[in-house]
Amino acid sequence: MSKVLRSEPLSDADAKWVGLRAIYWQDPTGKERKWECADRRTRKGDADAVAICAIVQRPSSEPHMLLVSQFRPPVNSSVIEMPAGLIDAGEEGEEGTRRAALRELKEETGYGTDKEGGKIDVKLVSTVMANDPGMTSSNMKLCVIRIDLADDAPEPVAEPDEGEFIERHLVPVHGLMNALLDFQKKGFAVDARLAHAAIGIELGLGRLGAENSKI
Amino acid sequence: MSKVLRSEPLSDADAKWVGLRAIYWQDPTGKERKWECADRRTRKGDADAVAICAIVQRPSSEPHMLLVSQFRPPVNSSVIEMPAGLIDAGEEGEEGTRRAALRELKEETGYGTDKEGGKIDVKLVSTVMANDPGMTSSNMKLCVIRIDLADDAPEPVAEPDEGEFIERHLVPVHGLMNALLDFQKKGFAVDARLAHAAIGIELGLGRLGAENSKI
């Protein structure tokens, strides 16, 4: 069972993966102000990370979203997230993002990029999005990927890196919100971006205050 | 015009708003590993921040989402986001989150909590969600709030804090994705959580690979 054993302050000079920065900026009135910011130190391309919104479709089932969970030391919990990973050197631009997404999807879930992994259709490659931009320069891109599998195709086999311990979960796309509430009841934490996608699905379905969308 | 003038390394000991931490954790095999993490130092309740998914409904219009933009020094850009802010002391639990959300909504946009601001219906108060949990302990809650206004009611007036320079934007809920793309063309950055809500709306509408949801 994963757990945090202890933690201690880390000096900016000793940190390899993250860092702190003081930013001096000019506000709209011309006044100079100071802001504190945390950065990732691993950026190699045009964004830190790529996440994959993977929609798995078998002919006789409703579409499912492919999620992962793993223990995240910063929050001392297993977290339900979309599959994701850091972008490697050489994975720039839209084509690079696509390659990074398919690489991470394969590693973390086994889905995609060959016959056993399903038929792949990349529906969307986003531009760069800001993660929590009041606190950090950390950013990401998102790929929406549809994966078609035969009804009788076996579940693909994941290929995790050393030190990665990742579980897969398939939940109905239109039941995402309830699925996340169930995961929380079981003790998982939920990634905020994934939860926002779930809220969006509810709004797209004309719920949660968007009922009049159907007029 | 807001802009970053310069930035410099910030030692953990000198930082007031953010900090770095080395976490020693035990992986599922029992092996001890180290992880680097950035924290907010301002947490006063059960989460760092609250965001508001505000759906504005006037009888003769389709529902609109109320968004804000402000210059964010960590990404050196104006960012389109849901209204949001740090949770104050005393704003614990579901009722506290609701108060924090209505307070921030009023400050940043002028909507809500009285006759001029519209009729308020809190549709959802989320539990805690993890922001980018591979890098940070930063977290948030989300309130979905429907606001009903008469067709001829004037736009409410915002009440920003000193040093806050916030613009409001109203976009059709079911057109959020295209609206975000338009904002990007105008030079705005987009918050990842908001963008995930937009992707969710598309999925809820049976687009982006979720077409078979309608069967």
Side-chain angles (χ1 to χ4, degrees):
Chain A
M1 182 77 175
S2 298
K3 61 182 174 186
V4 167
L5 302 169
R6 65 193 183 282
S7 68
E8 61 189 28
L10 175 65
S11 79
D12 181 70
D14 291 339
K16 287 179 190 157
W17 296 78
V18 292
L20 295 183
R21 196 158 43 99
I23 302 173
Y24 299 89
W25 66 289
Q26 179 181 296
D27 81 12
T29 70
K31 181 176 174 183
E32 185 173 317
R33 294 175 180 269
K34 183 182 173 186
W35 199 271
E36 296 180 3
C37 164
D39 304 302
R40 286 188 184 270
R41 289 192 164 147
T42 48
R43 191 177 298 171
K44 298 187 182 75
D46 43 7
D48 290 313
V50 63
I52 304 101
C53 178
I55 309 297
V56 176
Q57 181 69 61
R58 295 178 187 256
S60 303
S61 297
E62 64 178 312
H64 281 62
M65 193 179 290
L66 179 58
L67 303 177
V68 295
S69 60
Q70 59 192 305
F71 184 78
R72 294 297 202 177
V75 294
N76 196 14
S77 303
S78 281
V79 183
I80 304 286
E81 307 167 17
M82 291 185 191
L86 297 181
I87 293 176
D88 283 346
E91 292 176 333
E92 276 91 23
E94 183 174 322
E95 181 50 35
T97 305
R98 185 184 299 244
R99 274 186 284 119
L102 292 171
R103 175 179 58 70
E104 285 290 344
L105 183 67
K106 190 75 185 170
E107 285 175 13
E108 295 199 346
T109 72
Y111 283 80
T113 71
D114 61 19
K115 203 179 58 172
E116 290 73 26
K119 181 175 154 285
I120 293 294
D121 183 5
V122 179
K123 294 282 185 181
L124 179 92
V125 179
S126 84
T127 50
V128 178
M129 309 165 173
N131 290 326
D132 205 6
M135 176 196 177
T136 168
S137 63
S138 165
N139 62 19
M140 62 167 294
K141 293 178 169 191
L142 181 70
C143 278
V144 181
I145 298 181
R146 170 155 164 163
I147 303 166
D148 281 275
L149 281 169
D151 280 328
D152 60 356
E155 286 286 299
V157 178
E159 302 166 0
D161 283 342
E162 193 278 328
E164 281 194 317
F165 306 93
I166 295 178
E167 287 185 88
R168 289 183 307 199
H169 311 273
L170 276 170
V171 303
V173 171
H174 284 189
L176 179 59
M177 174 86 107
N178 281 333
L180 296 185
L181 293 172
D182 285 344
F183 279 119
Q184 287 187 314
K185 282 180 197 151
K186 291 176 189 159
F188 289 95
V190 173
D191 179 90
R193 293 158 293 189
L194 175 61
H196 279 69
I199 300 278
I201 290 168
E202 295 293 306
L203 293 174
L205 290 167
R207 300 172 187 155
L208 276 182
E211 287 78 5
N212 302 49
S213 309
K214 301 298 183 188
I215 58 175
Chain B
M1 181 79 176
S2 299
K3 61 183 175 185
V4 167
L5 301 169
R6 65 193 182 280
S7 69
E8 61 190 28
L10 175 65
S11 79
D12 181 70
D14 290 339
K16 286 179 192 158
W17 297 79
V18 292
L20 295 183
R21 197 160 42 102
I23 302 173
Y24 298 89
W25 66 289
Q26 179 181 296
D27 80 14
T29 71
K31 181 176 173 182
E32 184 173 318
R33 294 175 179 270
K34 184 182 172 187
W35 198 272
E36 296 180 3
C37 165
D39 304 302
R40 285 188 185 270
R41 289 190 164 149
T42 49
R43 190 177 300 172
K44 297 186 183 75
D46 43 7
D48 290 313
V50 63
I52 304 103
C53 178
I55 309 297
V56 176
Q57 181 70 61
R58 294 178 188 257
S60 302
S61 296
E62 64 178 313
H64 281 62
M65 193 180 290
L66 180 59
L67 303 177
V68 295
S69 60
Q70 59 191 306
F71 184 78
R72 292 298 201 177
V75 295
N76 196 14
S77 302
S78 280
V79 183
I80 304 286
E81 307 167 18
M82 291 185 191
L86 297 181
I87 293 176
D88 283 346
E91 292 175 334
E92 277 90 24
E94 184 175 320
E95 181 50 36
T97 305
R98 184 184 301 244
R99 273 185 285 120
L102 292 172
R103 176 180 56 73
E104 285 290 344
L105 183 68
K106 190 75 186 170
E107 284 175 13
E108 295 199 344
T109 73
Y111 283 80
T113 70
D114 61 20
K115 204 180 58 172
E116 290 72 28
K119 182 176 151 285
I120 294 294
D121 183 6
V122 179
K123 294 283 185 178
L124 179 93
V125 179
S126 84
T127 51
V128 177
M129 311 166 170
N131 290 327
D132 206 6
M135 175 197 178
T136 168
S137 63
S138 164
N139 62 19
M140 62 169 290
K141 294 180 169 189
L142 181 69
C143 277
V144 181
I145 298 181
R146 169 155 165 164
I147 302 166
D148 281 276
L149 281 170
D151 280 329
D152 60 355
E155 286 288 300
V157 178
E159 301 165 0
D161 283 344
E162 192 280 326
E164 281 194 316
F165 307 93
I166 295 178
E167 286 185 88
R168 288 183 308 197
H169 311 273
L170 277 170
V171 303
V173 171
H174 284 189
L176 180 59
M177 175 86 107
N178 282 332
L180 296 185
L181 293 171
D182 285 343
F183 279 119
Q184 286 187 314
K185 283 181 196 152
K186 292 177 189 160
F188 289 95
V190 173
D191 179 271
R193 292 157 294 187
L194 175 61
H196 279 69
I199 300 279
I201 290 169
E202 295 293 306
L203 294 172
L205 290 167
R207 301 174 186 155
L208 277 183
E211 288 78 3
N212 302 49
S213 307
K214 300 300 181 186
I215 57 174

PDB file of all heavy atoms in Angstrom, chain B residues 13 20-21 26 37 39 67 71 73 77 84 107 112 115 119 129-130 134 136 141-142 191:
ATOM      1  N   ALA B  13      12.737  29.566   1.795  1.00  0.00           N
ATOM      2  CA  ALA B  13      12.663  30.278   3.076  1.00  0.00           C
ATOM      3  C   ALA B  13      12.072  31.685   2.918  1.00  0.00           C
ATOM      4  O   ALA B  13      11.472  32.216   3.857  1.00  0.00           O
ATOM      5  CB  ALA B  13      14.058  30.360   3.713  1.00  0.00           C
ATOM      6  N   LEU B  20       8.210  24.754  -1.383  1.00  0.00           N
ATOM      7  CA  LEU B  20       8.624  23.464  -1.939  1.00  0.00           C
ATOM      8  C   LEU B  20       8.787  22.463  -0.805  1.00  0.00           C
ATOM      9  O   LEU B  20       9.182  22.817   0.301  1.00  0.00           O
ATOM     10  CB  LEU B  20       9.963  23.593  -2.679  1.00  0.00           C
ATOM     11  CG  LEU B  20      10.014  24.451  -3.928  1.00  0.00           C
ATOM     12  CD1 LEU B  20      11.422  24.365  -4.542  1.00  0.00           C
ATOM     13  CD2 LEU B  20       8.963  24.024  -4.937  1.00  0.00           C
ATOM     14  N   ARG B  21       8.555  21.197  -1.135  1.00  0.00           N
ATOM     15  CA  ARG B  21       8.650  20.145  -0.143  1.00  0.00           C
ATOM     16  C   ARG B  21       9.183  18.883  -0.786  1.00  0.00           C
ATOM     17  O   ARG B  21       8.832  18.566  -1.918  1.00  0.00           O
ATOM     18  CB  ARG B  21       7.242  19.897   0.425  1.00  0.00           C
ATOM     19  CG  ARG B  21       7.137  19.145   1.704  1.00  0.00           C
ATOM     20  CD  ARG B  21       5.762  19.415   2.379  1.00  0.00           C
ATOM     21  NE  ARG B  21       4.669  19.423   1.431  1.00  0.00           N
ATOM     22  CZ  ARG B  21       3.823  18.387   1.266  1.00  0.00           C
ATOM     23  NH1 ARG B  21       3.946  17.287   1.975  1.00  0.00           N
ATOM     24  NH2 ARG B  21       2.831  18.475   0.395  1.00  0.00           N
ATOM     25  N   GLN B  26       6.310   5.553   0.281  1.00  0.00           N
ATOM     26  CA  GLN B  26       6.492   4.118   0.085  1.00  0.00           C
ATOM     27  C   GLN B  26       5.643   3.676  -1.101  1.00  0.00           C
ATOM     28  O   GLN B  26       4.441   3.923  -1.127  1.00  0.00           O
ATOM     29  CB  GLN B  26       6.050   3.404   1.357  1.00  0.00           C
ATOM     30  CG  GLN B  26       6.150   1.898   1.310  1.00  0.00           C
ATOM     31  CD  GLN B  26       5.667   1.289   2.604  1.00  0.00           C
ATOM     32  OE1 GLN B  26       6.243   1.498   3.671  1.00  0.00           O
ATOM     33  NE2 GLN B  26       4.571   0.543   2.517  1.00  0.00           N
ATOM     34  N   CYS B  37       7.485  18.493  -4.567  1.00  0.00           N
ATOM     35  CA  CYS B  37       6.122  19.025  -4.583  1.00  0.00           C
ATOM     36  C   CYS B  37       6.120  20.518  -4.274  1.00  0.00           C
ATOM     37  O   CYS B  37       6.917  20.996  -3.462  1.00  0.00           O
ATOM     38  CB  CYS B  37       5.332  18.253  -3.523  1.00  0.00           C
ATOM     39  SG  CYS B  37       3.775  18.945  -3.019  1.00  0.00           S
ATOM     40  N   ASP B  39       3.627  23.613  -2.818  1.00  0.00           N
ATOM     41  CA  ASP B  39       2.408  23.813  -2.025  1.00  0.00           C
ATOM     42  C   ASP B  39       2.013  25.284  -2.021  1.00  0.00           C
ATOM     43  O   ASP B  39       2.873  26.157  -2.070  1.00  0.00           O
ATOM     44  CB  ASP B  39       2.658  23.434  -0.549  1.00  0.00           C
ATOM     45  CG  ASP B  39       3.162  22.025  -0.361  1.00  0.00           C
ATOM     46  OD1 ASP B  39       2.467  21.100  -0.800  1.00  0.00           O
ATOM     47  OD2 ASP B  39       4.253  21.851   0.222  1.00  0.00           O
ATOM     48  N   LEU B  67     -17.611  33.983 -17.451  1.00  0.00           N
ATOM     49  CA  LEU B  67     -16.168  33.763 -17.335  1.00  0.00           C
ATOM     50  C   LEU B  67     -15.471  35.068 -16.987  1.00  0.00           C
ATOM     51  O   LEU B  67     -16.040  36.151 -17.148  1.00  0.00           O
ATOM     52  CB  LEU B  67     -15.622  33.219 -18.662  1.00  0.00           C
ATOM     53  CG  LEU B  67     -16.281  31.930 -19.150  1.00  0.00           C
ATOM     54  CD1 LEU B  67     -15.717  31.519 -20.503  1.00  0.00           C
ATOM     55  CD2 LEU B  67     -16.101  30.815 -18.131  1.00  0.00           C
ATOM     56  N   PHE B  71      -4.760  39.126 -15.901  1.00  0.00           N
ATOM     57  CA  PHE B  71      -3.357  38.846 -16.183  1.00  0.00           C
ATOM     58  C   PHE B  71      -2.801  37.932 -15.103  1.00  0.00           C
ATOM     59  O   PHE B  71      -2.949  38.202 -13.911  1.00  0.00           O
ATOM     60  CB  PHE B  71      -2.559  40.147 -16.240  1.00  0.00           C
ATOM     61  CG  PHE B  71      -1.124  39.928 -16.631  1.00  0.00           C
ATOM     62  CD1 PHE B  71      -0.785  39.709 -17.958  1.00  0.00           C
ATOM     63  CD2 PHE B  71      -0.121  39.927 -15.673  1.00  0.00           C
ATOM     64  CE1 PHE B  71       0.536  39.483 -18.324  1.00  0.00           C
ATOM     65  CE2 PHE B  71       1.204  39.712 -16.028  1.00  0.00           C
ATOM     66  CZ  PHE B  71       1.531  39.491 -17.364  1.00  0.00           C
ATOM     67  N   PRO B  73       0.685  36.487 -13.848  1.00  0.00           N
ATOM     68  CA  PRO B  73       2.143  36.570 -14.015  1.00  0.00           C
ATOM     69  C   PRO B  73       2.823  35.217 -14.266  1.00  0.00           C
ATOM     70  O   PRO B  73       3.752  35.164 -15.080  1.00  0.00           O
ATOM     71  CB  PRO B  73       2.599  37.217 -12.700  1.00  0.00           C
ATOM     72  CG  PRO B  73       1.429  38.064 -12.285  1.00  0.00           C
ATOM     73  CD  PRO B  73       0.223  37.256 -12.665  1.00  0.00           C
ATOM     74  N   SER B  77       0.391  36.055 -19.298  1.00  0.00           N
ATOM     75  CA  SER B  77      -0.737  36.204 -20.227  1.00  0.00           C
ATOM     76  C   SER B  77      -1.995  36.545 -19.445  1.00  0.00           C
ATOM     77  O   SER B  77      -2.094  36.228 -18.253  1.00  0.00           O
ATOM     78  CB  SER B  77      -1.028  34.881 -20.967  1.00  0.00           C
ATOM     79  OG  SER B  77       0.073  34.411 -21.672  1.00  0.00           O
ATOM     80  N   ALA B  84     -13.055  32.650  -9.532  1.00  0.00           N
ATOM     81  CA  ALA B  84     -12.482  31.802  -8.480  1.00  0.00           C
ATOM     82  C   ALA B  84     -11.730  32.661  -7.489  1.00  0.00           C
ATOM     83  O   ALA B  84     -11.392  33.813  -7.780  1.00  0.00           O
ATOM     84  CB  ALA B  84     -11.531  30.769  -9.085  1.00  0.00           C
ATOM     85  N   GLU B 107     -17.642  39.658  -5.823  1.00  0.00           N
ATOM     86  CA  GLU B 107     -16.463  40.535  -5.956  1.00  0.00           C
ATOM     87  C   GLU B 107     -15.996  40.629  -7.404  1.00  0.00           C
ATOM     88  O   GLU B 107     -15.711  41.705  -7.914  1.00  0.00           O
ATOM     89  CB  GLU B 107     -15.292  39.989  -5.113  1.00  0.00           C
ATOM     90  CG  GLU B 107     -15.407  40.211  -3.626  1.00  0.00           C
ATOM     91  CD  GLU B 107     -14.280  39.533  -2.852  1.00  0.00           C
ATOM     92  OE1 GLU B 107     -13.275  39.104  -3.472  1.00  0.00           O
ATOM     93  OE2 GLU B 107     -14.413  39.429  -1.629  1.00  0.00           O
ATOM     94  N   GLY B 112     -25.084  37.824  -8.383  1.00  0.00           N
ATOM     95  CA  GLY B 112     -25.450  36.982  -7.260  1.00  0.00           C
ATOM     96  C   GLY B 112     -25.718  37.692  -5.961  1.00  0.00           C
ATOM     97  O   GLY B 112     -25.365  38.857  -5.770  1.00  0.00           O
ATOM     98  N   LYS B 115     -30.878  41.382  -5.216  1.00  0.00           N
ATOM     99  CA  LYS B 115     -31.838  41.581  -6.293  1.00  0.00           C
ATOM    100  C   LYS B 115     -31.161  42.022  -7.585  1.00  0.00           C
ATOM    101  O   LYS B 115     -31.434  41.493  -8.663  1.00  0.00           O
ATOM    102  CB  LYS B 115     -32.881  42.631  -5.848  1.00  0.00           C
ATOM    103  CG  LYS B 115     -34.202  42.535  -6.565  1.00  0.00           C
ATOM    104  CD  LYS B 115     -35.173  43.599  -6.056  1.00  0.00           C
ATOM    105  CE  LYS B 115     -34.595  44.993  -6.230  1.00  0.00           C
ATOM    106  NZ  LYS B 115     -35.561  46.066  -5.940  1.00  0.00           N
ATOM    107  N   LYS B 119     -31.316  36.105  -9.389  1.00  0.00           N
ATOM    108  CA  LYS B 119     -31.836  35.067  -8.493  1.00  0.00           C
ATOM    109  C   LYS B 119     -30.883  33.875  -8.557  1.00  0.00           C
ATOM    110  O   LYS B 119     -30.543  33.385  -9.626  1.00  0.00           O
ATOM    111  CB  LYS B 119     -33.229  34.660  -8.963  1.00  0.00           C
ATOM    112  CG  LYS B 119     -33.899  33.620  -8.087  1.00  0.00           C
ATOM    113  CD  LYS B 119     -35.332  33.362  -8.582  1.00  0.00           C
ATOM    114  CE  LYS B 119     -35.776  31.942  -8.254  1.00  0.00           C
ATOM    115  NZ  LYS B 119     -35.180  30.908  -9.108  1.00  0.00           N
ATOM    116  N   MET B 129     -11.092  18.770  -5.024  1.00  0.00           N
ATOM    117  CA  MET B 129     -10.479  18.221  -6.239  1.00  0.00           C
ATOM    118  C   MET B 129      -9.005  18.629  -6.275  1.00  0.00           C
ATOM    119  O   MET B 129      -8.657  19.750  -5.891  1.00  0.00           O
ATOM    120  CB  MET B 129     -11.078  18.852  -7.490  1.00  0.00           C
ATOM    121  CG  MET B 129     -12.560  18.894  -7.546  1.00  0.00           C
ATOM    122  SD  MET B 129     -13.028  20.037  -8.874  1.00  0.00           S
ATOM    123  CE  MET B 129     -14.781  19.663  -8.938  1.00  0.00           C
ATOM    124  N   ALA B 130      -8.154  17.749  -6.813  1.00  0.00           N
ATOM    125  CA  ALA B 130      -6.715  17.994  -6.853  1.00  0.00           C
ATOM    126  C   ALA B 130      -6.317  18.704  -8.150  1.00  0.00           C
ATOM    127  O   ALA B 130      -6.604  18.234  -9.242  1.00  0.00           O
ATOM    128  CB  ALA B 130      -5.975  16.662  -6.756  1.00  0.00           C
ATOM    129  N   GLY B 134       0.376  15.595  -9.699  1.00  0.00           N
ATOM    130  CA  GLY B 134       1.735  15.087  -9.849  1.00  0.00           C
ATOM    131  C   GLY B 134       2.774  16.102  -9.411  1.00  0.00           C
ATOM    132  O   GLY B 134       3.921  15.761  -9.107  1.00  0.00           O
ATOM    133  N   THR B 136       1.765  19.249  -7.351  1.00  0.00           N
ATOM    134  CA  THR B 136       1.389  20.174  -6.281  1.00  0.00           C
ATOM    135  C   THR B 136       0.261  19.621  -5.414  1.00  0.00           C
ATOM    136  O   THR B 136      -0.541  18.802  -5.861  1.00  0.00           O
ATOM    137  CB  THR B 136       0.971  21.541  -6.880  1.00  0.00           C
ATOM    138  OG1 THR B 136       0.341  22.337  -5.870  1.00  0.00           O
ATOM    139  CG2 THR B 136       0.000  21.396  -8.028  1.00  0.00           C
ATOM    140  N   LYS B 141     -12.452  23.513  -4.688  1.00  0.00           N
ATOM    141  CA  LYS B 141     -13.819  23.023  -4.800  1.00  0.00           C
ATOM    142  C   LYS B 141     -14.501  23.810  -5.914  1.00  0.00           C
ATOM    143  O   LYS B 141     -14.038  24.890  -6.280  1.00  0.00           O
ATOM    144  CB  LYS B 141     -14.558  23.217  -3.483  1.00  0.00           C
ATOM    145  CG  LYS B 141     -14.008  22.375  -2.338  1.00  0.00           C
ATOM    146  CD  LYS B 141     -14.826  22.672  -1.088  1.00  0.00           C
ATOM    147  CE  LYS B 141     -14.537  21.713   0.033  1.00  0.00           C
ATOM    148  NZ  LYS B 141     -15.520  21.932   1.146  1.00  0.00           N
ATOM    149  N   LEU B 142     -15.574  23.249  -6.423  1.00  0.00           N
ATOM    150  CA  LEU B 142     -16.308  23.918  -7.501  1.00  0.00           C
ATOM    151  C   LEU B 142     -17.775  24.031  -7.112  1.00  0.00           C
ATOM    152  O   LEU B 142     -18.373  23.060  -6.637  1.00  0.00           O
ATOM    153  CB  LEU B 142     -16.186  23.111  -8.799  1.00  0.00           C
ATOM    154  CG  LEU B 142     -16.891  23.712 -10.016  1.00  0.00           C
ATOM    155  CD1 LEU B 142     -16.191  24.983 -10.479  1.00  0.00           C
ATOM    156  CD2 LEU B 142     -16.948  22.719 -11.169  1.00  0.00           C
ATOM    157  N   ASP B 191      -7.484  28.531 -19.139  1.00  0.00           N
ATOM    158  CA  ASP B 191      -7.300  27.647 -17.982  1.00  0.00           C
ATOM    159  C   ASP B 191      -7.672  26.221 -18.366  1.00  0.00           C
ATOM    160  O   ASP B 191      -8.692  25.973 -19.014  1.00  0.00           O
ATOM    161  CB  ASP B 191      -8.205  28.143 -16.843  1.00  0.00           C
ATOM    162  CG  ASP B 191      -8.097  27.272 -15.614  1.00  0.00           C
ATOM    163  OD1 ASP B 191      -8.860  26.286 -15.509  1.00  0.00           O
ATOM    164  OD2 ASP B 191      -7.245  27.575 -14.768  1.00  0.00           O
TER     165      ASP B 191
END
